[in-house]
Amino acid sequence: MTRAQGLVAAALLVAAVPARADAPPVCTEGIHQPGPTPPRRLTRLEYNNTIRDLLGDDSRPADIFAAEESALGFNNNATVMVVSPLLAEQLMRAAEAIAERATRDLKKLLPCPSVACGRTFVETLGQRAFRRPLEPEERQKLLRLFDQGRRTGLRAGLEAVIQAVLQAPPFLYRDAPASKNDAHVAKLDGWALAARLSYFLWATMPDERLFAAAAAGTLETPVQVQAEARRMLADPRARAMVTGFHRQWLTLDRIDRIDKSRNGETKDFNSALNGLFREEIETFLDWAVWDGGGDLPTMLTSSISFLNGPIATFYRMPGVEGREFQKVAFDPAQRSGFLTSAGMMSLLAKPNQTSPILRGKFVREKLLCELLPDPPANVEVNPPKLDPKLTTRERFAEHTNDVGCNKCHRLIDPVGFGFEAYDALGRYRATENGHALDVSGDVKGSDVAGAFEGAVELTNKLADSTQVRSCVVAQWFRFAYGRGETPDDRCTLAKLEREFAASGLKIQDLLVALTQTDAFLYREGAPR
């Protein structure tokens, strides 16, 4: 096992499911529990966006960086954001190339081609890149580097400073490591809150309004933070952030790689549809959060979707043509929310058959936040062989009956069987191999435990589930804070769940609530 894999495993063991206890947490007013505050390196997306907003460079230099490891479903988890020797070299080469491009035209970079303007630029760049005022020692080092470099020309001095800044920890990391001189729990200042807001909601550095608020001392209270959060949610960058969250939480990128070449009915499906199916789901979720009901039940149960001509042809829905996506309404008895979309059902299937296991496991892990163990080493993991005389449910019966498989499959399969009305390509069907389908299912071990009939009824169950609501809060916690939950976060989670419920399960209100917690407004000091 590599070090990165080991860290992923450790993170999963610590925070694979929302932290819970039999008794509710005792949360006392005035006692703050922010949980751990690990330094968080910029992701490739955050790096690209920051370089764009800092220097006007939109070349996306981080696209060639080594891919981030994922933990708890997201690629911004501080536990695994290590800097390998390869990444260190890539960061160095990117800094050199960015600095060279930035200094090609000094007229664009400086208001005047003088040493004085150069020194002002250095100080301004340092403050914006580090997202806070420079420490006296940092300022001196950068100015000294500028003076040394400009001996061979003004451009050389500026280039040296830009290279140094872009490789400095205060630029590459969003939260500095705690010092032993820090208080046990410290309230963040406006500069740190501006950076947390901007990277959470926009995946980039603060804008001028956030910087101005930090400098003026008007980004200190929860009310002030909340006002900025609501302002930022009105910006298109917030919509892009939510799309990025959905893409990782629901593994939507995997839809681009669906391969149904071994399916006997591939005439109705080709790889060119993959990206369009992902776009259908992302467009629907964007509408559900921002323009539709704005709440979790809409995401899970709405019969609205967005199709273009090629996808409408696949769905056999008349009246939709062209490449632009159009709002449509499915038969509410057949489609309900993102789970029953063709792209999701195709993703959660094998090339030539459906997969109750993949579909049930997805619901259990992504919507109920349950950690299911891997199958025993001696268990055959291939699906049962196709048999034209049997339905999928009949072929998979062994999983439920076998003692070695029953522990997990009694939880997974009864959920997955509810999706049997969607074939391996994600199309709706009423029969399989000439047999009437049995789409009855059962959700065991949940707050909405009990039987259901088909995926539409299941999605309505999930929309009413307190466990699903808690799971969605936990998923957003992991994404927003770049780490898993710990026992110290019980009050934060309880507050988030309470406010999410009070808002009518509005996603935008949950995003604002995430900026009002101890985990967001405070930080822990270093262990003493």
Side-chain angles (χ1 to χ4, degrees), residues 317-368:
M317 176 171 282
V320 179
E321 299 179 352
R323 305 299 297 184
E324 295 296 319
F325 279 76
Q326 306 170 39
K327 185 178 178 181
V328 301
F330 283 122
D331 181 343
Q334 296 183 3
R335 303 277 179 180
S336 180
F338 67 85
L339 272 176
T340 62
S341 65
M344 187 63 70
M345 288 292 91
S346 181
L347 173 66
L348 301 175
K350 297 295 184 180
N352 60 348
Q353 60 182 295
T354 62
S355 177
I357 296 174
L358 290 178
R359 291 170 176 179
K361 187 171 183 284
F362 184 90
V363 170
R364 286 285 180 181
E365 292 184 338
K366 297 296 183 179
L367 294 174
L368 296 172

Short mmCIF file of all heavy atoms in Angstrom, two decimals, residues 317-368:
data_model
loop_
_atom_site.label_atom_id
_atom_site.label_comp_id
_atom_site.label_asym_id
_atom_site.label_seq_id
_atom_site.Cartn_x
_atom_site.Cartn_y
_atom_site.Cartn_z
N MET A 317 -38.67 10.30 -26.90
CA MET A 317 -39.56 11.41 -26.55
C MET A 317 -39.67 12.35 -27.74
O MET A 317 -38.68 12.97 -28.14
CB MET A 317 -39.04 12.16 -25.32
CG MET A 317 -39.89 13.37 -24.97
SD MET A 317 -39.45 14.13 -23.39
CE MET A 317 -40.23 12.99 -22.25
N PRO A 318 -40.83 12.47 -28.34
CA PRO A 318 -40.98 13.30 -29.55
C PRO A 318 -40.99 14.79 -29.20
O PRO A 318 -41.20 15.19 -28.04
CB PRO A 318 -42.35 12.87 -30.08
CG PRO A 318 -43.11 12.42 -28.86
CD PRO A 318 -42.08 11.79 -27.95
N GLY A 319 -40.76 15.61 -30.22
CA GLY A 319 -40.92 17.04 -30.07
C GLY A 319 -39.69 17.79 -29.61
O GLY A 319 -39.75 19.01 -29.42
N VAL A 320 -38.57 17.11 -29.43
CA VAL A 320 -37.34 17.78 -29.00
C VAL A 320 -36.30 17.59 -30.10
O VAL A 320 -35.95 16.45 -30.44
CB VAL A 320 -36.81 17.21 -27.67
CG1 VAL A 320 -35.52 17.92 -27.27
CG2 VAL A 320 -37.86 17.37 -26.58
N GLU A 321 -35.78 18.67 -30.63
CA GLU A 321 -34.79 18.61 -31.70
C GLU A 321 -33.64 19.58 -31.41
O GLU A 321 -33.75 20.46 -30.56
CB GLU A 321 -35.44 18.95 -33.04
CG GLU A 321 -36.56 18.00 -33.45
CD GLU A 321 -37.20 18.40 -34.77
OE1 GLU A 321 -36.86 19.50 -35.27
OE2 GLU A 321 -38.04 17.63 -35.28
N GLY A 322 -32.54 19.40 -32.13
CA GLY A 322 -31.42 20.32 -32.01
C GLY A 322 -30.46 19.94 -30.90
O GLY A 322 -30.67 18.98 -30.16
N ARG A 323 -29.40 20.74 -30.77
CA ARG A 323 -28.35 20.45 -29.78
C ARG A 323 -28.59 21.14 -28.45
O ARG A 323 -27.99 20.76 -27.44
CB ARG A 323 -26.99 20.90 -30.33
CG ARG A 323 -26.62 20.31 -31.68
CD ARG A 323 -26.53 18.80 -31.67
NE ARG A 323 -25.48 18.30 -30.79
CZ ARG A 323 -25.16 17.02 -30.68
NH1 ARG A 323 -25.82 16.10 -31.38
NH2 ARG A 323 -24.20 16.63 -29.86
N GLU A 324 -29.47 22.14 -28.41
CA GLU A 324 -29.73 22.86 -27.17
C GLU A 324 -30.62 22.03 -26.25
O GLU A 324 -31.57 21.38 -26.71
CB GLU A 324 -30.40 24.20 -27.46
CG GLU A 324 -29.54 25.19 -28.23
CD GLU A 324 -28.30 25.59 -27.45
OE1 GLU A 324 -28.43 25.81 -26.22
OE2 GLU A 324 -27.21 25.68 -28.06
N PHE A 325 -30.32 22.08 -24.96
CA PHE A 325 -31.13 21.36 -23.99
C PHE A 325 -32.41 22.13 -23.69
O PHE A 325 -32.38 23.35 -23.49
CB PHE A 325 -30.33 21.13 -22.70
CG PHE A 325 -29.38 19.97 -22.79
CD1 PHE A 325 -28.19 20.08 -23.49
CD2 PHE A 325 -29.69 18.75 -22.20
CE1 PHE A 325 -27.32 19.02 -23.60
CE2 PHE A 325 -28.82 17.68 -22.29
CZ PHE A 325 -27.64 17.80 -22.99
N GLN A 326 -33.53 21.40 -23.66
CA GLN A 326 -34.83 21.99 -23.43
C GLN A 326 -35.49 21.33 -22.23
O GLN A 326 -35.31 20.14 -21.97
CB GLN A 326 -35.73 21.81 -24.66
CG GLN A 326 -35.13 22.33 -25.96
CD GLN A 326 -35.95 21.90 -27.16
OE1 GLN A 326 -37.19 21.88 -27.10
NE2 GLN A 326 -35.28 21.56 -28.25
N LYS A 327 -36.26 22.11 -21.51
CA LYS A 327 -36.98 21.59 -20.35
C LYS A 327 -38.13 20.71 -20.82
O LYS A 327 -38.91 21.09 -21.68
CB LYS A 327 -37.51 22.76 -19.51
CG LYS A 327 -38.18 22.35 -18.21
CD LYS A 327 -38.63 23.60 -17.45
CE LYS A 327 -39.34 23.25 -16.16
NZ LYS A 327 -39.79 24.47 -15.44
N VAL A 328 -38.21 19.50 -20.25
CA VAL A 328 -39.26 18.55 -20.60
C VAL A 328 -39.82 17.95 -19.32
O VAL A 328 -39.24 18.08 -18.24
CB VAL A 328 -38.74 17.42 -21.51
CG1 VAL A 328 -38.16 17.97 -22.79
CG2 VAL A 328 -37.71 16.57 -20.77
N ALA A 329 -40.95 17.28 -19.46
CA ALA A 329 -41.56 16.58 -18.32
C ALA A 329 -41.73 15.12 -18.69
O ALA A 329 -42.41 14.79 -19.66
CB ALA A 329 -42.89 17.22 -17.95
N PHE A 330 -41.11 14.23 -17.92
CA PHE A 330 -41.29 12.80 -18.11
C PHE A 330 -42.61 12.36 -17.47
O PHE A 330 -43.20 13.08 -16.66
CB PHE A 330 -40.15 12.02 -17.45
CG PHE A 330 -38.86 12.02 -18.23
CD1 PHE A 330 -37.69 12.51 -17.66
CD2 PHE A 330 -38.80 11.50 -19.51
CE1 PHE A 330 -36.50 12.49 -18.35
CE2 PHE A 330 -37.62 11.48 -20.22
CZ PHE A 330 -36.46 11.98 -19.65
N ASP A 331 -43.03 11.17 -17.82
CA ASP A 331 -44.16 10.54 -17.14
C ASP A 331 -43.75 10.33 -15.69
O ASP A 331 -42.79 9.61 -15.40
CB ASP A 331 -44.47 9.19 -17.81
CG ASP A 331 -45.66 8.48 -17.17
OD1 ASP A 331 -46.05 8.85 -16.04
OD2 ASP A 331 -46.17 7.53 -17.78
N PRO A 332 -44.43 10.97 -14.72
CA PRO A 332 -44.02 10.85 -13.31
C PRO A 332 -44.12 9.43 -12.76
O PRO A 332 -43.56 9.16 -11.70
CB PRO A 332 -44.97 11.81 -12.59
CG PRO A 332 -46.14 11.96 -13.49
CD PRO A 332 -45.60 11.83 -14.88
N ALA A 333 -44.78 8.56 -13.46
CA ALA A 333 -44.84 7.17 -13.03
C ALA A 333 -43.61 6.39 -13.48
O ALA A 333 -43.39 5.25 -13.04
CB ALA A 333 -46.10 6.49 -13.58
N GLN A 334 -42.77 7.02 -14.35
CA GLN A 334 -41.61 6.31 -14.89
C GLN A 334 -40.27 6.92 -14.47
O GLN A 334 -39.29 6.18 -14.31
CB GLN A 334 -41.69 6.28 -16.42
CG GLN A 334 -42.88 5.49 -16.96
CD GLN A 334 -42.88 5.41 -18.47
OE1 GLN A 334 -41.96 5.89 -19.14
NE2 GLN A 334 -43.91 4.81 -19.04
N ARG A 335 -40.20 8.22 -14.32
CA ARG A 335 -38.92 8.86 -14.00
C ARG A 335 -39.12 9.79 -12.80
O ARG A 335 -40.13 10.49 -12.70
CB ARG A 335 -38.40 9.67 -15.18
CG ARG A 335 -38.22 8.88 -16.47
CD ARG A 335 -36.90 8.14 -16.51
NE ARG A 335 -36.78 7.36 -17.75
CZ ARG A 335 -35.73 6.61 -18.07
NH1 ARG A 335 -34.69 6.52 -17.23
NH2 ARG A 335 -35.71 5.92 -19.20
N SER A 336 -38.12 9.79 -11.92
CA SER A 336 -38.23 10.57 -10.69
C SER A 336 -36.83 11.00 -10.23
O SER A 336 -36.09 10.21 -9.66
CB SER A 336 -38.91 9.74 -9.60
OG SER A 336 -39.03 10.45 -8.40
N GLY A 337 -36.47 12.25 -10.51
CA GLY A 337 -35.21 12.78 -10.05
C GLY A 337 -34.00 12.22 -10.77
O GLY A 337 -34.10 11.47 -11.74
N PHE A 338 -32.82 12.59 -10.29
CA PHE A 338 -31.59 12.22 -10.98
C PHE A 338 -31.31 10.73 -10.93
O PHE A 338 -30.66 10.18 -11.81
CB PHE A 338 -30.40 12.99 -10.40
CG PHE A 338 -30.04 12.63 -8.99
CD1 PHE A 338 -29.20 11.56 -8.71
CD2 PHE A 338 -30.52 13.38 -7.93
CE1 PHE A 338 -28.86 11.23 -7.41
CE2 PHE A 338 -30.18 13.06 -6.63
CZ PHE A 338 -29.36 11.98 -6.36
N LEU A 339 -31.82 10.02 -9.91
CA LEU A 339 -31.51 8.60 -9.78
C LEU A 339 -32.03 7.79 -10.96
O LEU A 339 -31.40 6.80 -11.36
CB LEU A 339 -32.10 8.04 -8.49
CG LEU A 339 -31.25 8.12 -7.23
CD1 LEU A 339 -32.02 7.62 -6.03
CD2 LEU A 339 -29.95 7.33 -7.39
N THR A 340 -33.17 8.16 -11.52
CA THR A 340 -33.78 7.36 -12.59
C THR A 340 -33.43 7.87 -13.98
O THR A 340 -34.00 7.40 -14.96
CB THR A 340 -35.31 7.33 -12.43
OG1 THR A 340 -35.81 8.67 -12.55
CG2 THR A 340 -35.72 6.76 -11.08
N SER A 341 -32.51 8.81 -14.08
CA SER A 341 -32.09 9.27 -15.40
C SER A 341 -31.38 8.14 -16.15
O SER A 341 -30.80 7.24 -15.54
CB SER A 341 -31.15 10.46 -15.27
OG SER A 341 -29.94 10.07 -14.63
N ALA A 342 -31.43 8.20 -17.47
CA ALA A 342 -30.80 7.15 -18.27
C ALA A 342 -29.31 7.08 -18.00
O ALA A 342 -28.73 5.99 -17.92
CB ALA A 342 -31.08 7.38 -19.75
N GLY A 343 -28.66 8.24 -17.87
CA GLY A 343 -27.22 8.24 -17.63
C GLY A 343 -26.87 7.56 -16.32
O GLY A 343 -25.92 6.77 -16.26
N MET A 344 -27.60 7.85 -15.25
CA MET A 344 -27.31 7.24 -13.96
C MET A 344 -27.61 5.75 -13.98
O MET A 344 -26.82 4.93 -13.48
CB MET A 344 -28.13 7.92 -12.86
CG MET A 344 -27.79 7.47 -11.45
SD MET A 344 -26.09 7.87 -10.97
CE MET A 344 -26.18 9.64 -10.82
N MET A 345 -28.72 5.36 -14.57
CA MET A 345 -29.07 3.94 -14.62
C MET A 345 -28.11 3.15 -15.51
O MET A 345 -27.78 2.00 -15.23
CB MET A 345 -30.50 3.77 -15.12
CG MET A 345 -31.58 4.20 -14.12
SD MET A 345 -31.68 3.10 -12.66
CE MET A 345 -30.55 3.88 -11.50
N SER A 346 -27.64 3.77 -16.58
CA SER A 346 -26.66 3.11 -17.44
C SER A 346 -25.33 2.98 -16.72
O SER A 346 -24.65 1.94 -16.82
CB SER A 346 -26.49 3.90 -18.73
OG SER A 346 -25.56 3.29 -19.59
N LEU A 347 -24.94 4.04 -15.99
CA LEU A 347 -23.69 3.97 -15.23
C LEU A 347 -23.73 2.86 -14.20
O LEU A 347 -22.74 2.12 -14.03
CB LEU A 347 -23.45 5.32 -14.54
CG LEU A 347 -22.27 5.39 -13.57
CD1 LEU A 347 -20.95 5.23 -14.31
CD2 LEU A 347 -22.29 6.71 -12.80
N LEU A 348 -24.86 2.71 -13.52
CA LEU A 348 -25.00 1.72 -12.46
C LEU A 348 -25.53 0.41 -13.02
O LEU A 348 -26.50 -0.18 -12.51
CB LEU A 348 -25.90 2.27 -11.36
CG LEU A 348 -25.42 3.58 -10.72
CD1 LEU A 348 -26.44 4.10 -9.72
CD2 LEU A 348 -24.06 3.39 -10.05
N ALA A 349 -24.92 -0.04 -14.09
CA ALA A 349 -25.29 -1.31 -14.73
C ALA A 349 -24.05 -1.88 -15.39
O ALA A 349 -23.04 -1.19 -15.57
CB ALA A 349 -26.39 -1.09 -15.76
N LYS A 350 -24.12 -3.14 -15.73
CA LYS A 350 -23.04 -3.78 -16.48
C LYS A 350 -23.23 -3.50 -17.97
O LYS A 350 -24.29 -3.01 -18.40
CB LYS A 350 -23.05 -5.29 -16.21
CG LYS A 350 -22.79 -5.66 -14.75
CD LYS A 350 -21.39 -5.27 -14.32
CE LYS A 350 -21.10 -5.71 -12.89
NZ LYS A 350 -19.73 -5.33 -12.47
N PRO A 351 -22.24 -3.80 -18.79
CA PRO A 351 -22.40 -3.52 -20.22
C PRO A 351 -23.60 -4.21 -20.86
O PRO A 351 -24.25 -3.64 -21.72
CB PRO A 351 -21.09 -4.04 -20.82
CG PRO A 351 -20.10 -3.92 -19.72
CD PRO A 351 -20.87 -4.24 -18.47
N ASN A 352 -23.90 -5.42 -20.39
CA ASN A 352 -24.94 -6.21 -21.05
C ASN A 352 -26.09 -6.61 -20.15
O ASN A 352 -26.93 -7.43 -20.53
CB ASN A 352 -24.33 -7.46 -21.68
CG ASN A 352 -23.67 -8.35 -20.62
OD1 ASN A 352 -23.48 -7.93 -19.47
ND2 ASN A 352 -23.33 -9.57 -21.01
N GLN A 353 -26.16 -6.07 -18.94
CA GLN A 353 -27.25 -6.41 -18.02
C GLN A 353 -27.32 -5.38 -16.91
O GLN A 353 -26.37 -4.64 -16.66
CB GLN A 353 -27.04 -7.81 -17.43
CG GLN A 353 -25.74 -7.95 -16.65
CD GLN A 353 -25.54 -9.35 -16.11
OE1 GLN A 353 -26.30 -9.81 -15.27
NE2 GLN A 353 -24.52 -10.05 -16.63
N THR A 354 -28.47 -5.34 -16.28
CA THR A 354 -28.61 -4.43 -15.14
C THR A 354 -27.80 -4.96 -13.96
O THR A 354 -27.31 -6.09 -13.98
CB THR A 354 -30.09 -4.30 -14.73
OG1 THR A 354 -30.58 -5.58 -14.32
CG2 THR A 354 -30.93 -3.76 -15.87
N SER A 355 -27.69 -4.14 -12.93
CA SER A 355 -26.93 -4.54 -11.75
C SER A 355 -27.63 -4.05 -10.49
O SER A 355 -27.41 -2.92 -10.05
CB SER A 355 -25.50 -4.01 -11.79
OG SER A 355 -24.81 -4.36 -10.60
N PRO A 356 -28.47 -4.88 -9.90
CA PRO A 356 -29.09 -4.49 -8.62
C PRO A 356 -28.04 -4.17 -7.55
O PRO A 356 -28.28 -3.35 -6.68
CB PRO A 356 -29.90 -5.74 -8.24
CG PRO A 356 -30.14 -6.45 -9.52
CD PRO A 356 -28.93 -6.20 -10.36
N ILE A 357 -26.88 -4.81 -7.66
CA ILE A 357 -25.83 -4.57 -6.66
C ILE A 357 -25.30 -3.14 -6.80
O ILE A 357 -25.21 -2.40 -5.82
CB ILE A 357 -24.68 -5.58 -6.82
CG1 ILE A 357 -25.19 -7.00 -6.54
CG2 ILE A 357 -23.53 -5.25 -5.90
CD1 ILE A 357 -24.17 -8.08 -6.81
N LEU A 358 -24.91 -2.73 -8.00
CA LEU A 358 -24.37 -1.39 -8.20
C LEU A 358 -25.40 -0.33 -7.83
O LEU A 358 -25.07 0.68 -7.20
CB LEU A 358 -23.92 -1.19 -9.64
CG LEU A 358 -22.68 -1.97 -10.10
CD1 LEU A 358 -22.42 -1.70 -11.58
CD2 LEU A 358 -21.46 -1.61 -9.26
N ARG A 359 -26.64 -0.56 -8.20
CA ARG A 359 -27.68 0.44 -7.95
C ARG A 359 -28.01 0.51 -6.46
O ARG A 359 -28.14 1.60 -5.89
CB ARG A 359 -28.91 0.11 -8.79
CG ARG A 359 -28.65 0.32 -10.28
CD ARG A 359 -29.76 -0.22 -11.17
NE ARG A 359 -29.49 0.10 -12.59
CZ ARG A 359 -30.28 -0.26 -13.59
NH1 ARG A 359 -31.39 -0.97 -13.36
NH2 ARG A 359 -29.98 0.08 -14.84
N GLY A 360 -28.14 -0.64 -5.81
CA GLY A 360 -28.42 -0.64 -4.38
C GLY A 360 -27.26 -0.10 -3.57
O GLY A 360 -27.44 0.65 -2.61
N LYS A 361 -26.03 -0.45 -3.97
CA LYS A 361 -24.85 0.02 -3.27
C LYS A 361 -24.73 1.55 -3.38
O LYS A 361 -24.34 2.23 -2.43
CB LYS A 361 -23.62 -0.65 -3.87
CG LYS A 361 -22.30 -0.40 -3.14
CD LYS A 361 -21.22 -1.31 -3.70
CE LYS A 361 -19.90 -1.14 -2.96
NZ LYS A 361 -19.20 0.09 -3.35
N PHE A 362 -25.04 2.09 -4.55
CA PHE A 362 -24.97 3.53 -4.75
C PHE A 362 -25.90 4.25 -3.79
O PHE A 362 -25.51 5.24 -3.15
CB PHE A 362 -25.34 3.87 -6.20
CG PHE A 362 -25.20 5.31 -6.55
CD1 PHE A 362 -24.01 5.80 -7.05
CD2 PHE A 362 -26.27 6.20 -6.40
CE1 PHE A 362 -23.87 7.16 -7.37
CE2 PHE A 362 -26.15 7.54 -6.73
CZ PHE A 362 -24.94 8.01 -7.21
N VAL A 363 -27.12 3.78 -3.67
CA VAL A 363 -28.08 4.40 -2.75
C VAL A 363 -27.58 4.31 -1.32
O VAL A 363 -27.62 5.28 -0.56
CB VAL A 363 -29.47 3.76 -2.89
CG1 VAL A 363 -30.41 4.23 -1.79
CG2 VAL A 363 -30.06 4.07 -4.26
N ARG A 364 -27.11 3.13 -0.94
CA ARG A 364 -26.63 2.93 0.43
C ARG A 364 -25.44 3.83 0.77
O ARG A 364 -25.37 4.40 1.85
CB ARG A 364 -26.25 1.46 0.63
CG ARG A 364 -27.42 0.50 0.72
CD ARG A 364 -28.10 0.62 2.05
NE ARG A 364 -29.23 -0.28 2.19
CZ ARG A 364 -30.00 -0.34 3.26
NH1 ARG A 364 -29.76 0.45 4.29
NH2 ARG A 364 -31.02 -1.17 3.33
N GLU A 365 -24.51 3.95 -0.15
CA GLU A 365 -23.27 4.68 0.15
C GLU A 365 -23.41 6.19 -0.09
O GLU A 365 -22.93 6.99 0.73
CB GLU A 365 -22.12 4.13 -0.68
CG GLU A 365 -21.72 2.72 -0.28
CD GLU A 365 -20.52 2.20 -1.04
OE1 GLU A 365 -20.23 2.72 -2.15
OE2 GLU A 365 -19.87 1.27 -0.54
N LYS A 366 -24.04 6.58 -1.18
CA LYS A 366 -24.07 7.99 -1.55
C LYS A 366 -25.23 8.76 -0.92
O LYS A 366 -25.11 9.97 -0.67
CB LYS A 366 -24.14 8.15 -3.07
CG LYS A 366 -22.92 7.61 -3.80
CD LYS A 366 -21.66 8.38 -3.43
CE LYS A 366 -20.46 7.90 -4.21
NZ LYS A 366 -19.23 8.67 -3.87
N LEU A 367 -26.34 8.09 -0.65
CA LEU A 367 -27.51 8.78 -0.13
C LEU A 367 -27.81 8.45 1.32
O LEU A 367 -28.49 9.22 2.00
CB LEU A 367 -28.74 8.48 -0.99
CG LEU A 367 -28.66 9.02 -2.42
CD1 LEU A 367 -29.85 8.55 -3.24
CD2 LEU A 367 -28.60 10.53 -2.42
N LEU A 368 -27.33 7.30 1.80
CA LEU A 368 -27.51 6.94 3.20
C LEU A 368 -26.21 6.99 3.99
O LEU A 368 -26.20 6.79 5.20
CB LEU A 368 -28.13 5.54 3.31
CG LEU A 368 -29.54 5.41 2.72
CD1 LEU A 368 -29.98 3.94 2.71
CD2 LEU A 368 -30.54 6.24 3.52
#
